[in-house]
Amino acid sequence: MDYIRVTSEDELATALRRDGAVLLAGGTDLMVKMRGWAIRPSLLVDISRVDSLRRVSTSSDGAVIGSAARVADLLANSTLCVRYPLLAAVLRSLGSVQIRNRATLGGNLANASPAADSALALLAYDARVSLAGGAAERTLPLAEFLQGPRRTALQHGEYLRAIDLPAPRADWIPFFHKVGRRRALTIAIASVAGLLAFRDGDIVDARLAAGSVAPTPLRLHSVEQLVVGRHVDDALVATAAATATRAVAPIADVRATASYRREVAGELVARFLREAGGLAPASL
Amino acid sequence: MNIRFRLNGREVEIEAGADARLLDVLREDLHLTGTKEGCGEGECGACTVLLDGQPVNSCLLLAPQADGCDVVTIEGLAEGAHLHPIQEAFVEEGAVQCGFCTPGFILATYSLLRANPEPTDEEILTALEGNLCRCTGYSRILAAVRLAAARLLAQRPAAPQPVAAAETPEAE
Ligand SMILES: Cc1cc2nc3c(=O)[nH]c(=O)nc-3n(C[C@H](O)[C@H](O)[C@H](O)COP(=O)(O)OP(=O)(O)OC[C@H]3O[C@@H](n4cnc5c(N)ncnc54)[C@H](O)[C@@H]3O)c2cc1C
């Protein structure tokens, strides 16, 4: 295996055209896979020192996050974290200090795990991704980029350049909860992230996303449609939870059964609505 | 590949394969065996080193990725025969049993206390969540970090008193 460290996107695009070239960012997914012999690249192209890919900019129009920006650097960016608290909440729960110091946002998305935590917040914010290195740079909604477990829209020679976030609403209430065996270093059994905005007691905007309950992290559009225009009461919470359990398509694996994952997804949606709508927590 | 980096304050230059992990280079080529391999997958933190001052898992890092960087291992903390105050605190509080996880815990603690000299227990637990210990049950480790924080704080030169404070009459 060969290794090269590129310092510009031009060098990167050239290197990626070589056969068997695999892009290396923080390595926190790739190194584990290489150790398990799940992949054997012939060339690793290290992008961790390409400055243009690590840049983060925020403005009144939104934010642009370079794909090789590290999770720890994003959490240290207070402007970003104040404007996008749901993204901050999700990133704080990713891995451990050691992992956050290396892991990148682009790696989390390109790795295309059904459990990728950052994807939940980014889906809720309607993020778009820009892809470069192909015939022409293109941008697409994150939901179209994530195609299945370990499958993305990236074509041979393409790389993820940046993640674009539209301007946030100031009145969004964020929610994130990940259920796993322990708090840190855990791959979620199921997780839900969301944003709700209210006017005069009615929900006027709802974004809900769930992880580890389908081939990709996914938006719960049917739940969103159900709750918009309504005020939160016990009946709405119950219907929304039931709708969520039907919107997901989990698998059973060593971490949990499919039916348990459905229940957890429904319960997390219920908790979010209760909390944001000011209802007392359900008694267990 | 030819790789150069600063290791515990000294420049080192070595030849390593492109697929060598920093962990292997430290242990096998540079004979610094304080850095341990536990799980090899970033879960346990026994291989923690400081890369440009930040804790990372050296099992998930290729040696070429450390090229040009500053690396500190557990061997870099003591000054000659004098243990670092964090190491002393771990010894005194009995936070070490088999010792395999200890270098990782101490480096994670070192990085925490440099950034945050007076952490809350919650902050300590968050800083150490990437390190696993199978012997102590963690309460001795938490006690050691609290003790180390108190000692390091006491050693720090007192912050210069703001001039205004000196003029304020004692309001008791
Ligand atoms: C102990 C441990 C705990 C973890 N905990 C969590 C967790 O709680 N939540 C979670 O979501 N993840 C977790 N992860 C997974 C991992 O840390 C994240 O997915 C991380 O964000 C991956 O980023 P990276 O830069 O390390 O990716 P890398 O390992 O460098 O790359 C991952 C994949 O993406 C590709 N890639 C990277 N960047 C680009 C790009 N710009 N363009 C195109 N392709 C690219 C690589 O070729 C590779 O296939 C954990 C991993 C470990 C080892």
Side-chain angles (χ1 to χ4, degrees):
Chain A
M1 189 193 75
D2 285 334
Y3 164 98
I4 53 168
R5 184 165 59 233
V6 293
T7 52
S8 72
E9 291 188 57
D10 284 345
E11 279 175 40
L12 169 60
T14 308
L16 278 183
R17 277 181 221 121
R18 287 170 52 181
D19 271 348
V22 171
L23 199 150
L24 171 69
T28 59
D29 275 314
L30 207 52
M31 290 292 285
V32 175
K33 286 187 184 157
M34 284 166 51
R35 174 181 153 94
W37 303 87
I39 72 163
R40 301 306 299 161
S42 56
L43 172 68
L44 282 182
V45 183
D46 182 356
I47 60 163
S48 61
R49 297 190 210 175
V50 179
D51 288 341
S52 62
L53 293 178
R54 293 189 58 186
R55 211 170 283 147
V56 179
S57 64
T58 49
S59 73
S60 52
D61 296 337
V64 182
I65 302 174
S67 62
R70 294 191 186 129
V71 170
D73 292 338
L74 297 177
L75 287 171
N77 183 326
S78 53
T79 314
L80 183 77
C81 293
V82 166
R83 301 201 69 200
Y84 298 95
L86 181 62
L87 180 63
V90 161
L91 295 182
R92 270 195 288 273
S93 90
L94 194 151
S96 61
V97 173
Q98 287 92 331
I99 296 292
R100 289 190 290 276
N101 279 332
R102 295 298 300 173
T104 64
L105 204 54
N108 196 231
L109 298 178
N111 189 55
S113 157
D117 281 319
S118 76
L120 298 187
L122 296 172
L123 284 171
Y125 285 120
D126 275 336
R128 295 176 67 83
V129 292
S130 54
L131 312 183
E137 176 159 353
R138 56 191 181 122
T139 78
L140 60 165
L142 177 59
E144 287 172 28
F145 176 79
L146 301 171
Q147 299 189 334
R150 290 169 297 283
R151 277 198 303 118
T152 68
L154 284 169
Q155 303 285 321
H156 177 72
E158 267 186 327
Y159 61 93
L160 181 55
R161 169 179 276 168
I163 297 102
D164 287 81
L165 299 176
R169 282 178 76 119
D171 60 348
W172 266 331
I173 301 171
F175 173 88
F176 173 60
H177 197 96
K178 161 157 124 177
V179 172
R181 294 287 293 276
R182 59 193 286 264
R183 196 185 67 181
L185 288 175
T186 202
I187 302 177
I189 287 171
S191 51
V192 167
L195 299 162
L196 286 178
F198 289 82
R199 192 179 308 130
D200 303 330
D202 289 341
I203 296 175
V204 289
D205 190 19
R207 319 284 189 89
L208 289 160
S212 300
V213 290
T216 65
L218 91 166
R219 277 282 285 269
L220 304 174
H221 292 295
S222 55
V223 183
E224 296 172 0
Q225 278 154 19
L226 175 81
V227 302
V228 168
R230 309 277 298 273
H231 77 277
V232 180
D233 57 18
D234 288 335
L236 183 73
V237 171
T239 337
T243 307
T245 62
R246 286 192 301 272
V248 301
I251 56 162
D253 66 10
V254 290
R255 282 172 285 130
T257 61
S259 63
Y260 179 66
R261 288 195 154 99
R262 275 184 203 283
E263 289 302 314
V264 172
E267 168 60 20
L268 293 179
V269 166
R271 270 192 217 177
F272 182 19
L273 289 172
R274 288 185 168 282
E275 276 180 34
L279 298 188
S283 52
L284 294 175
Chain B
M1 296 183 66
N2 179 269
I3 300 162
R4 296 173 195 219
F5 54 98
R6 261 177 96 74
L7 177 59
N8 299 329
R10 282 187 314 124
E11 295 294 331
V12 294
E13 180 170 354
I14 47 147
E15 277 300 317
D19 55 358
R21 301 174 303 174
L22 180 62
L23 171 65
D24 303 321
V25 164
L26 291 172
R27 291 181 55 87
E28 310 294 332
D29 298 314
L30 298 164
H31 306 296
L32 294 182
T33 53
T35 307
K36 307 299 184 195
E37 174 158 19
C39 68
E41 301 189 347
E43 302 267 355
C44 78
C47 68
T48 300
V49 300
L50 303 182
L51 183 75
D52 291 334
Q54 302 301 321
V56 300
N57 298 303
S58 63
C59 74
L60 296 183
L61 203 71
L62 290 173
Q65 290 179 287
D67 186 53
C69 295
D70 184 71
V71 177
V72 174
T73 67
I74 190 67
E75 289 87 352
L77 254 52
E79 284 180 34
H82 287 283
L83 290 183
H84 187 277
I86 299 174
Q87 293 172 306
E88 281 178 346
F90 270 67
V91 172
E92 285 174 38
E93 286 290 350
V96 178
Q97 285 185 35
C98 86
F100 200 80
C101 70
T102 313
F105 270 100
I106 287 178
L107 287 170
T109 302
Y110 179 87
S111 148
L112 165 71
L113 296 183
R114 216 176 23 179
N116 179 0
E118 292 179 87
T120 62
D121 282 357
E122 188 60 29
E123 287 167 338
I124 296 174
L125 295 178
T126 300
L128 299 183
E129 68 191 7
N131 295 80
L132 297 182
C133 172
R134 299 282 84 147
C135 313
T136 65
Y138 300 104
S139 55
R140 303 276 90 207
I141 293 177
L142 186 60
V145 178
R146 288 195 202 112
L147 177 65
R151 291 222 177 124
L152 288 168
L153 209 59
Q155 275 182 13
R156 270 154 55 112
Q161 292 296 310
V163 179
E167 289 164 359
T168 314
E170 237 129 291
E172 251 141 352

